[in-house]
Amino acid sequence: QVQLVESGGGLVQAGGSLRLSCEASGRTFSDRAMAWFRQAPGKEREFVAQVTWSGGITYYADSVRGRFTISRDNAKNTVYLRMNSLKPEDTAVYYCAAGRIAYRDYAPSPNNYDYWGQGTQVTVSS
């Protein structure tokens, strides 16, 4: 059974930091791009960050660029999202996703991804 399991969410004050992890099991995802999305109550799921299968290229939403860092460790089948300088508007459920995407392609649509985790809640208080 293929699974993506997120962890690391929680409650943090504005200006604080969190690191999310997403561990894959059931198959290797070293051949797939990985991404983080988030969804706040009443809003659509939105792209946060993407990393290529090798980890060599990353893309970020404008709202998080310079504050968030996506990375991956293929030996551990794990992708990370380091979040610094958190703001209340970062509050959402964060999902990791995996998709077969051409190496340099920027893929911010959820439709590009075929595996999803269950999500982890991040709450930033003001």
Side-chain angles (χ1 to χ4, degrees), residues 16-82:
S17 298
L18 283 174
R19 190 180 80 156
L20 305 183
S21 299
C22 172
E23 184 174 3
S25 61
R27 74 178 303 281
T28 179
F29 284 90
S30 59
D31 60 341
R32 276 177 158 74
M34 302 291 292
W36 288 94
F37 288 78
R38 66 187 182 187
Q39 189 167 18
K43 295 188 176 182
E44 293 187 351
R45 191 166 299 190
E46 67 170 353
F47 172 80
V48 175
Q50 175 195 342
V51 61
T52 55
W53 63 266
S54 69
I57 299 175
T58 56
Y59 299 101
Y60 296 94
D62 289 342
S63 59
V64 307
R65 187 176 292 110
R67 300 188 298 122
F68 291 10
T69 303
I70 188 171
S71 61
R72 67 190 296 166
D73 184 339
N74 285 338
K76 295 181 179 180
N77 235 11
T78 301
V79 63
Y80 305 97
L81 185 69
R82 177 68 180 180

